[in-house]
Every structure is written in C-alpha cells, then in structure tokens.
Amino acid sequence: MTASKSTTETLTSTTGVVGDSPVRPDGNLKVRGEFAYSSDLWHEDMLWGATLRSPHPHARIRGIDLGAALAVPGVYAVLTHEDVPGENRYGLEHPDQPVLAETVVRYQGEPVAIVAADHPETARRAAARVRVDYEVLEPVTDAEAAMRADAPVLHPTHPDGNVVRHARIRFGEPAPTADVVVTGEYTVGMQDQAFLGPESGLAVPAEDGGVDLYIATQWLHADQRQVAGALGLPTEKVRLHLAGVGGAFGAREDLSMQVHACMLALRTGKPVKIVYGREESFFGHVHRHPAVLRYEHGATRDGDLVYVRAEIILDGGAYASTTAAVTGNAATLGAGPYQVPNVHVDSYGVYTNNPPCGAMRGFGAVQACFAYESQLDKLAEALGMDPVDLRIRNVVEQGSVMPTGQVVDSAAPVAELLELVRAKPMPAEPAAPRDLRELPGGVSNTTHGEGVVRGVGYGVGIKNVGFSEGFDDYSTARVRLELIGGEPVVMVHTAAAEVGQGLVTLQAQIARTELGVQRVVIQPSDTSVGSAGSSSASRQSYVTGGAVKAACEEVRDAVLELAARRLGVRAEGLTGGKLVTAAHEVLADLAEVLGEEPVERTVEWRHRATEALDPVTGKGFAHVQYAFAAHRAVVDVDVELGLVRVVELACAQDVGKAMNPDAVVGQIQGGSAQGLGLAVMEEIQVVDGVVRNPSFTDYLIPTVLDMPPMPIDVLERADPHAPYGLRGVGEAPTLSSTPAIVAAIRAATGIALSRVPVRPEHIVDVSQKDGP
C-alpha cells in the first residue's frame, strides 16, 4: 500500500484507533501557552538552585572558597564535590563524569559548585561569589591530535587513552580495485538540539529520607539509576515523575541538574527548583558530535559500486555519554543504503576538552550520510551519470546483505523513494520582477536577484531503529480495564517520556484498537512502573507501542475468559464496549461482564534480540530495524552574497504503518527542519574549547521564514517483525535532508562544498578565487 499524504491535508479523526489522527490531548494547551512545562513547577516554601561552572575548558582546581557565597543573605546551602553523598560519578554508558568537579575540569561549563537560596537571583549572585583557584591547563581540542600516543590523556583510567571506541567494519576483500575512484574529506560542525524548554526540575525531600524529582527527561529509569547512585540511596527512595518536556532530540538523555536539585533538597530539607537560562542550557547538555570523515569510493565504469573505504573521527568532547554507540552507528551505517561488496570502515569516538557530545536526532548516521551522499554525487559526476540513476542502480532492497553481514529482512523500498521525489513537479520559476521575500536575503533588501542561481540536489539515508548491538531493549506497560461511573475505561501506565512526538496519543490509539473501548486514560509517566527505556532512537512507538499492545491483548484474553465463565458462551472479541462473536454478533455489554472486578495486566515487552559486533570484523546482527528516507531539495543561491534560500524540500519515507498520519507528517517535517539547519546555519562555534555563541541570537535555527513547502510521500511497507508493521519515523528525515540541500547548493554554484553548515564565505570566497 502506498499512501501519499500532502502536508496540507486534514487527517484528523474522532475515532482515535490505529491509523487515525486524533487530536492531541495537550495540543490546545500548548498552542494557547497554558501547558505546564517543567520550568512552570512550583511548591510552597521552595528554594531556588544555581550552578557555578568552570570558565576554562581545562584546568586544575587548587582550592575552593565558599565563605563569600555563604555570607549572602537568603542562602541556605553551598555544596561542592565533598558534599556528594554517594558516588561522584555518573554516565549513561560509562560513569566517567563527576556530579561536581573534584581536582580537574575538562570542559568550559563543567559544574563546580551549587547553591540553594530563597530567590533565583540570590542563588545566582551567591554562586558568582564562590572563589575557585584554577591552574589553567592547555586544552586538547583537536580530536585527531587527541588520538596520538603523545597526547595528554584526559581520563587516565581509560584503557585506550583518549579513544572512547574504535569500531571496525571489515566486509569483503581487503584490497579491492575499481575502474573509477573518488575520494573526499568532509567535515560536520557541532549542532545543538536547540529545544525551546530549558533544563529544569523540582526536587522535593520526602519523609522516608528519599526524594521525589519532577523532571523533563527522556529516560526516567536511567535518571533514577544515576541519581540514586550519586545520592547513595536505594532506587526505591528516588522517585521520578515526568514533568512537561519542551523538546528533547537526544539532549535530555544525559543528566543535567537532576542530582544537583536533589542534593540541595536533601541538604536543606526544602523543595528546590532549578531552571537554566538559555546560555547555561548550551553548557548543560550534550550536542551532536562534530566529525571529520575521509571516504574513498570505487566503482565499475557502468556505475556498480565495488568498494567503500572510510575513516570517521567523531569528537566526543570531555565525557563519554553515548559516544560509543554513536561511533558504532557511524560505522555500521557508514556505507549508506547501498549494496557494496567490499567495505572497510574505521570509526573513532574521541575524548577532547570540547563540550561533551552525545545523542542527537540521527545519532552518528547523520554525519556519515553527509559524507557518503556527497561521495555518490562526486562519483556520478566522474562517471557522467545522473546522480539519482547511480543511487537507484546500487541501493539495498529486501534480502540485501549489510556490511555487518546482517540481512535486510523487511521492506527496503529505497529505489521507490528516490523515484517518488524525482517525479515531484518542480517548483515554478518566479516571474520577474521577483518578490523580494522570495529571494535569499531578500527580506533584508540585500538583493534584487542579480546573482541568484537555482540548484537541485538529492539525498537518501539509512537509519537504525531502536537500541542496537545486544542492548537489552524493552518497555513495560500496565493496562487496567475497569468500570468508572458504569462506563468501561482503560488506564494505561508506562514510564515512557512524551517529548512532543505524540506517544501520549499513540498509546490511547493502541488501547482503543485492541480493547474496543473508547475512553482511555494515559496516566502520568513515573518510576512506579517498570522502565520504558529512552524516548530516542525512534523506538517508543515500536517498543512501548508493542508493550501496550501486548498488555491490552492479555487484558482482552482475561476479559474473554471471564465472559465465558459468566455467560457460558465464548466471545471472540471486544468492539465498542461490547463482547462479540466471530460474526460480530453482540453477546453482552462489557459492563455486564466486568461488574466490580477490574482486569489489570503488566507486560515487559522486547523486540527481537540484537547482538554485539565482532570487535575485529564488525560482523553481527546489530540492528532491530532499518528506516529509509529520501529528499529532493531545490535552492536559490545568491552567488555574489553567499546567501541560500531553500525553495522546496520534497521528501519520501517508508514508515511501515502510519500509526497516526498527522503525527508522521509532523515528524518528517521536524526532522527535515533540523537537517536544513545543519546544512546552512546551525553550528556551535567552539574556539580552543570555548563556546562563542551560546544564545539564540548567535546560534541560528530555522524559523517559519526558512522552512520551505514540503511535498511528502508516506509509504507503508509493513515490517513483519514490528507491531502493526510500523517503522520508526523521527530520525530518518534528518539524515537525507542535509546532503540534498548541500547537493543543490553545489549544483547552483559549481563549488565542491565539503563542510556543513555551508557558510556564506564558503560560497563567495571560492567564487572570487575563480574570478579575474
């Protein structure tokens, strides 16, 4: 089945089962500005927390003087690493990051001390009065230099020096030859998730000596584990509750102020709230790994790929976070969605004194996609082939073998996706005189179109769905069916984080589909139910959706057994609150059967297992599922000013099953927007380890004026291994949008652009060199 959904269609349904697009329960509140985010939390008699951060990317701490801070009226506590009650280390995959710095700071912005006071300004003033005696050290800021044997080791206990992980792929022949060879070196800048809701939360001390933490996060149970370890408390005394999340995109997987708020609350005996400002937010979360990627592609004269060789160097910054997994993704997906008989990839994740990097939408696959898609365009030029034809000639399909040896065992309609975007009608060339608002920089009256040239480019990408390489990836769902006011109601309880992706709607759709009951209540997410894993890796619809489906099926089976005992007749299903036969004849109302006896089941659900990669060859069943998306970008470039306007960004993506068609389109638009940002504007500027643009004044993200029309084709090619055949949606469009836009800029300018984001000087300076 192919479903082509225009972004302008209204797909909203009132029934709200799988395949419909019910209205989000939080949608109107968010549009009206009435939704309660974590920064809106309030508690009687609460204090405010603030953090003192290092101004240096690398320094030794020789002493800390708290006297002036403690003397500020209204201050209740000033704490350092000496006050951490448990282990002064945390980390998602490797506990290498201190809660508060001890003898050394490894990046600008590292937390050194925390303050609780009766007013936020008082807390900030007191934090500024903490005196830290630093011995400034030379920072290690070049990832390649950090890999050398003579480089200063930033984590002396790490077994491989500054290399967090070296992931290898060895597939096919070690030294193949080809008729046509192209090489390239590509650079990806450090991108920020740029969520609008800053890090914030409220810690409330409890009578049992524990703490309740209300927090905007992506993974409640991972936070609970790390916070409990740092506080020296059993996990049952650290209770986490999901507060309103104002965007995430990977940056809320790691801890920010969670432990700090809890420490201050337990020390003072009062609730403590911490809210970062925008500048502090840039220092308070991880970013996308900047990367240098060196590629060599070999092909026959007919255009068949023979080999891919790649060296990928990812700057992980000061602490590991998820660098190891990002490095693995870059390696396993580094050859792209192509059938290549010989692949040799070395992917490195490296410690430096730059800001820590970790999860961001696309998670290692984004960096690789920019490089291999740029290579495909370069190869097409060398062969004299159409770049789309070259891609279609080589793309994977169901049954293809990936460089890890894993067989693609579900639909892989990559060729169809490319054909769909290529077949889209081109946007019309504007008639003269042109509306200035339609020109690059036109709204600033910088041009009347004298140097504007149009270009078209394509990109396609492959992304894994879910956690990989043998990770025990599961979700827990508790489903309860009961009568409330004589009406059957389904209660669904998971710890899954709703971060804007629409999971709160999807869980209800699944419950209505499986139990035939219209009224569904999604209970607040917290740690009183088993883990749902992280809202990342495009996994929640798959894994938590699978858990809710399985729990509903067990509830349904229990109700049907109950009905058989009470009615003496075997019902076959539930529809519209009634028990029905296989022929859909009504046997009884659900209310008659349930009576006062609720039915509840809790299920821990896992997808099929993956396995760790062989450390030498990279062989292994690494990924649960693959997702594919393709883009065609049309751009206007002012070659005299170096300004770019994306005129249109068409996308085609296979989603397996459009569980909620409106939400699917929204995810494709959002992922494409972040890919556009990486292509032409978004980059954290880091010079010698110092962040130069920690604000939305200087860190630019696409606005409504930057986003072009987006014709979207949604394919539904069911994955037989997934609940409802669904396929993760959110990340794939972030991959292919970036190289498509840059390819279009290359087509307009004739410049071999090899770095993102593309800046005006990359266009203008090269143009001037080619001139007289």
Side-chain angles (χ1 to χ4, degrees):
M1 170 184 171
T2 300
S4 182
K5 307 281 196 299
S6 166
T7 57
T8 59
E9 288 182 87
T10 300
L11 301 171
T12 302
S13 168
T14 57
T15 57
V17 295
V18 168
D20 293 329
S21 295
V23 174
R24 287 181 60 118
D26 56 356
N28 287 335
L29 293 173
K30 288 179 175 177
V31 170
R32 294 198 302 262
E34 298 172 1
F35 182 81
Y37 290 98
S38 56
S39 55
D40 298 313
L41 293 166
W42 194 266
H43 199 288
E44 284 296 319
D45 198 30
M46 76 179 184
L47 303 177
W48 296 79
T51 309
L52 175 71
R53 298 177 179 274
S54 167
H56 308 293
H58 198 198
R60 187 170 289 112
I61 297 175
R62 293 186 292 211
I64 303 176
D65 183 358
L66 308 180
L70 288 166
V72 175
V75 169
Y76 281 71
V78 184
L79 307 180
T80 69
H81 70 91
E82 295 179 346
D83 302 297
V84 178
E87 180 68 25
N88 189 31
R89 288 292 182 276
Y90 70 92
L92 265 177
E93 297 178 358
H94 178 65
D96 63 348
Q97 189 160 359
V99 175
L100 292 168
E102 296 172 352
T103 59
V104 66
V105 292
R106 295 183 176 88
Y107 72 98
Q108 181 202 20
E110 181 156 357
V112 177
I114 50 177
V115 176
D118 58 7
H119 190 278
E121 286 301 323
T122 302
R124 284 191 277 270
R125 287 200 308 271
R129 292 192 177 193
V130 174
R131 294 291 173 255
V132 183
D133 181 12
Y134 292 106
E135 176 191 350
V136 177
L137 304 174
E138 186 71 22
V140 178
T141 59
D142 183 280
E144 289 190 78
M147 295 167 60
R148 297 174 190 151
D150 60 349
V153 178
L154 301 181
H155 293 266
T157 60
H158 191 270
D160 297 314
N162 292 326
V163 177
V164 179
R165 182 185 183 188
H166 174 198
R168 302 171 179 85
I169 301 294
R170 303 291 186 266
F171 182 70
E173 296 296 323
T177 59
D179 299 328
V180 179
V181 175
V182 296
T183 62
E185 179 173 313
Y186 305 94
T187 304
V188 177
M190 183 184 291
Q191 187 180 19
D192 189 65
Q193 295 84 351
F195 46 66
L196 298 186
E199 292 84 348
S200 50
L202 174 69
V204 182
E207 292 182 358
D208 66 354
V211 64
D212 285 272
L213 177 63
Y214 300 83
I215 185 69
T217 181
Q218 290 179 244
W219 194 348
L220 286 164
H221 283 79
D223 285 9
Q224 181 189 42
R225 169 180 55 81
Q226 295 172 88
V227 172
L231 297 179
L233 292 173
T235 54
E236 62 267 19
K237 286 196 174 184
V238 179
R239 296 167 290 270
L240 271 68
H241 313 262
L242 186 68
V245 182
F249 313 111
R252 297 190 201 269
E253 272 203 322
D254 296 79
L255 297 185
S256 56
M257 41 62 62
Q258 285 92 323
V259 180
H260 299 161
C262 292
M263 283 176 58
L264 292 168
L266 291 173
R267 174 61 67 93
T268 63
K270 291 177 174 289
V272 174
K273 177 179 178 178
I274 296 180
V275 180
Y276 289 175
R278 181 57 59 194
E279 179 174 335
E280 186 173 17
S281 180
F282 274 91
F283 297 104
H285 63 253
V286 298
H287 313 289
R288 188 187 299 287
H289 291 72
V292 174
L293 309 97
R294 299 185 180 96
Y295 269 73
E296 181 177 302
H297 279 64
T300 67
R301 288 187 176 85
D302 293 330
D304 295 325
L305 289 174
V306 175
Y307 71 85
V308 172
R309 299 181 67 89
E311 180 185 51
I312 301 169
I313 300 170
L314 298 151
D315 185 345
Y319 296 104
S321 182
T322 55
T323 290
V326 170
T327 303
N329 270 10
T332 59
L333 305 174
Y338 302 106
Q339 301 186 69
V340 189
N342 307 288
V343 178
H344 185 293
V345 177
D346 288 285
S347 180
Y348 301 90
V350 186
Y351 283 125
T352 67
N353 290 123
N354 291 320
C357 292
M360 184 177 173
R361 196 176 201 161
F363 202 81
V366 163
Q367 295 91 328
C369 185
F370 173 62
Y372 63 66
E373 285 301 275
S374 297
Q375 283 285 102
L376 263 289
D377 285 337
K378 187 178 289 189
L379 184 59
E381 183 177 4
L383 291 165
M385 289 183 66
D386 179 271
V388 177
D389 289 341
L390 175 63
R391 286 171 169 84
I392 290 174
R393 186 181 184 95
N394 290 281
V395 291
V396 297
E397 55 191 15
Q398 188 166 353
S400 296
V401 179
M402 298 299 291
T404 58
Q406 180 172 342
V407 176
V408 180
D409 58 1
S410 65
V414 187
E416 187 176 358
L417 298 176
L418 285 162
E419 293 284 18
L420 282 167
V421 292
R422 178 161 64 176
K424 289 286 185 189
M426 284 288 182
E429 291 277 359
R434 294 187 63 170
D435 187 331
L436 294 186
R437 293 169 297 181
E438 296 178 351
L439 295 171
V443 292
S444 301
N445 200 28
T446 58
T447 179
H448 285 215
E450 300 87 348
V452 174
V453 181
R454 179 158 288 188
V456 179
Y458 294 86
V460 63
I462 179 172
K463 177 67 178 66
N464 63 309
V465 173
F467 294 152
S468 303
E469 298 188 49
F471 187 90
D472 185 17
D473 192 10
Y474 67 91
S475 183
T476 312
R478 181 180 299 145
V479 174
R480 180 183 178 94
L481 177 61
E482 61 183 322
L483 293 182
I484 298 179
E487 178 185 358
V489 177
V490 181
M491 312 290 287
V492 179
H493 191 190
T494 74
E498 168 59 58
V499 297
Q501 81 277 39
L503 187 67
V504 67
T505 302
L506 184 64
Q507 293 179 77
Q509 291 177 252
I510 292 172
R512 293 190 191 102
T513 300
E514 298 301 325
L515 295 176
V517 174
Q518 182 63 25
R519 188 176 170 193
V520 180
V521 176
I522 306 301
Q523 295 180 299
S525 295
D526 56 36
T527 52
S528 68
V529 67
S531 178
S534 175
S535 288
S536 61
S538 304
R539 64 179 288 282
Q540 284 291 8
S541 294
Y542 193 131
V543 184
T544 295
V548 172
K549 182 176 186 290
C552 286
E553 288 169 345
E554 290 198 8
V555 167
R556 183 180 64 226
D557 291 345
V559 170
L560 295 179
E561 289 294 332
L562 182 64
R565 292 198 305 268
R566 292 186 174 176
L567 300 176
V569 179
R570 178 70 186 180
E572 296 296 329
L574 304 175
T575 302
K578 300 182 185 300
L579 290 97
V580 298
T581 66
H584 298 286
E585 297 172 346
V586 174
L587 294 176
D589 286 337
L590 185 55
E592 297 174 31
V593 175
L594 276 179
E596 299 299 318
E597 186 175 348
V599 178
E600 180 178 291
R601 294 291 185 272
T602 300
V603 171
E604 194 175 88
W605 189 88
R606 286 170 170 80
H607 54 63
R608 56 182 177 162
T610 59
E611 60 188 27
L613 296 175
D614 183 286
V616 176
T617 65
K619 294 289 193 298
F621 188 90
H623 302 305
V624 181
Q625 184 188 65
Y626 295 106
F628 307 95
H631 282 84
R632 184 194 69 191
V634 180
V635 304
D636 281 346
V637 183
D638 191 316
V639 296
E640 297 174 356
L641 299 174
L643 301 178
V644 177
R645 176 175 177 266
V646 182
V647 175
E648 184 184 86
L649 190 57
C651 181
Q653 183 169 340
D654 172 32
V655 304
K657 169 66 178 177
M659 302 286 285
N660 182 317
D662 278 358
V664 163
V665 169
Q667 286 289 292
I668 294 172
Q669 291 171 327
S672 300
Q674 288 188 307
L676 183 152
L678 179 60
V680 295
M681 64 181 73
E682 292 191 45
E683 183 177 7
I684 297 178
Q685 301 286 335
V686 183
V687 179
D688 297 328
V690 176
V691 177
R692 297 299 191 185
N693 59 335
S695 74
F696 281 170
T697 300
D698 300 310
Y699 182 89
L700 305 179
I701 60 176
T703 69
V704 67
L705 295 178
D706 300 298
M707 282 305 296
M710 280 200 64
I712 294 174
D713 283 304
V714 175
L715 269 64
E716 297 183 88
R717 302 286 188 267
D719 180 348
H721 310 287
Y724 303 105
L726 68 84
R727 197 179 302 276
V729 176
E731 293 177 285
T734 312
L735 276 64
S736 48
S737 48
T738 298
I741 292 167
V742 177
I745 300 172
R746 290 193 196 106
T749 63
I751 301 170
L753 301 165
S754 60
R755 189 189 192 281
V756 287
V758 177
R759 302 173 184 164
E761 60 265 29
H762 298 157
I763 297 170
V764 174
D765 289 351
V766 177
S767 299
Q768 290 174 344
K769 289 178 185 177
D770 293 339

